Amino acid sequence: MTAGEQTLALFLGVLAVLALASTVGWVLSRRDGGQTNSGVQNLNARIKAWWVMVALLAAAFLCGTGGVVLLFAFASFFALREFLTLTETRRGDHWALAAMFFVVLPVQYWLIFIDWYGLYSIFVPVYVFLLLPIVAVLRADTTRFMVRIAEMQWGLMICVFCLSHVPALLTLDIPGYEGRELLLICFLVLVVQSSDVLQYVFGKLFGRRKVAPSLSPSKTWEGLVGGVASASVLGGALWWITPFTIPQAFGMAVVITLLGFFGGLVMSAIKRDRGVKDWGRMIEGHGGMLDRLDSVVFAAPIFFHLTRYWFTP
């Protein structure tokens, strides 16, 4: 099966699942007899949002590497904006903030587009982390300086550096897998996002014991085990779109779903610290951009580097 045929088969499968979900949502809404059901409304809103996200991803894939890089660059922009709205910025941070949005972010994605691995792998955590406080200190505002700089650096790490490793998968040179790198992005996104959904489903059906009640009351041990196990089986079943064997795909799925889970907990802790439920209202039924990407951003760099050092010469 060619790369194009694999991609088409995968997207047709995803569309079939979305069509089934839409049908279920429509039946549930009709069964209410016109009465408002918040759970059904939320479900249908989420399904509609997924249609939009799948359409955007498909359009980016059709545009090739440039389209995918641009899509995730915009995702980083909106995620960073959401993150920084919850931080304690001051007038003295304006230069540093402008540099984050209009210098650091585009340069990071440009380096990925031209496949300069030696620089994009250290640009943010080395050069930017050292230069950002220099830019900020030039304004001579020392009030909570360390806190402000740490928040900006953490925002860049999560929203730009980590997320940029999703399109960076396109730069991998895996022998015998040429022209199929887009499918690695599909594998990562499908497995991690499926784990989120399945953890929620298993938690609702069987959840009794909370993992971290003060951080995320909806997360249970039963949901975690059921969601990670079932999403890992899905990952193993998707081995045919990856350079992995079935055991390797299953093992990789276990790693990225666990990272996604703990990434969600970390981001929940930040939201609780700031006293908010969602990062924003950008996506109907999903909250903000970071509410959809919180698990992906933690899984992406680990998935990238495990794949790179495992399969590339």
Side-chain angles (χ1 to χ4, degrees):
M1 188 180 292
T2 66
E5 291 172 340
Q6 285 182 318
T7 304
L8 179 60
L10 182 64
F11 268 97
L12 288 176
V14 171
L15 292 177
V17 172
L18 284 175
L20 176 61
S22 297
T23 302
V24 171
W26 179 81
V27 170
L28 290 175
S29 64
R30 296 284 293 180
R31 194 179 64 177
D32 289 340
Q35 296 180 353
T36 301
N37 185 309
S38 59
V40 174
Q41 285 183 335
N42 183 264
L43 171 65
N44 287 325
R46 285 173 175 266
I47 293 171
K48 290 177 183 177
W50 272 112
W51 276 107
V52 174
M53 287 187 282
V54 169
L56 287 174
L57 195 59
F61 279 17
L62 289 174
C63 293
T65 300
V68 176
V69 171
L70 190 62
L71 174 65
F72 282 94
F74 276 110
S76 280
F77 181 91
F78 290 114
L80 185 61
R81 186 183 65 173
E82 290 175 355
F83 188 96
L84 291 175
T85 56
L86 300 184
T87 62
E88 300 179 12
T89 56
R90 293 171 57 84
R91 184 182 298 272
D93 298 324
H94 287 181
W95 289 356
L97 292 172
M100 291 167 64
F101 281 101
F102 303 113
V103 178
V104 177
L105 191 155
V107 168
Q108 174 71 9
Y109 279 92
W110 176 74
L111 292 172
I112 288 172
F113 180 72
I114 65 173
D115 191 12
W116 192 348
Y117 172 78
L119 187 52
Y120 76 66
S121 62
I122 62 171
F123 176 62
V124 171
V126 177
Y127 294 104
V128 175
F129 271 33
L130 292 175
L131 293 174
L132 192 66
I134 295 175
V135 173
V137 82
L138 292 176
R139 301 298 298 272
D141 185 350
T142 59
T143 302
R144 297 178 59 81
F145 183 77
M146 289 184 63
V147 173
R148 287 157 38 212
I149 293 300
E151 288 176 341
M152 287 189 284
Q153 289 174 328
W154 185 238
L156 282 173
M157 178 61 73
I158 291 294
C159 304
V160 178
F161 181 76
C162 289
L163 188 56
S164 70
H165 280 75
V166 179
L169 291 166
L170 299 177
T171 68
L172 295 179
D173 183 17
I174 302 174
Y177 195 69
E178 295 83 0
R180 290 174 165 83
E181 293 81 8
L182 283 170
L183 294 172
L184 282 174
I185 296 179
C186 293
F187 179 85
L188 170 66
V189 174
L190 281 176
V191 171
V192 173
Q193 293 295 332
S194 296
S195 178
D196 283 351
V197 173
L198 291 167
Q199 286 174 38
Y200 177 81
V201 172
F202 276 97
K204 286 295 185 183
L205 293 176
F206 309 109
R208 296 292 183 272
R209 292 167 293 179
K210 307 291 185 182
V211 175
S214 61
L215 296 180
S216 184
S218 64
K219 295 185 184 297
T220 65
W221 285 107
E222 293 81 4
L224 171 61
V225 173
V228 168
S230 52
S232 298
V233 171
L234 173 63
L238 290 172
W239 67 273
W240 55 278
I241 67 170
T242 73
F244 315 140
T245 63
I246 294 177
Q248 288 170 342
F250 177 83
M252 191 71 82
V254 172
V255 171
I256 61 178
T257 52
L258 286 175
L259 284 167
F261 172 80
F262 288 111
L265 275 186
V266 170
M267 301 305 280
S268 291
I270 297 174
K271 288 188 289 185
R272 297 296 178 268
D273 176 62
R274 295 307 183 193
V276 298
K277 181 180 180 296
D278 296 318
W279 286 100
R281 299 179 181 178
M282 182 178 182
I283 306 173
E284 183 184 3
H286 287 255
M289 181 68 71
L290 272 176
D291 290 295
R292 283 299 87 213
L293 297 177
D294 55 1
S295 53
V296 174
V297 294
F298 275 72
I302 305 302
F303 179 71
F304 172 86
H305 287 289
L306 284 177
T307 304
R308 184 178 190 275
Y309 289 106
W310 198 351
F311 291 96
T312 61

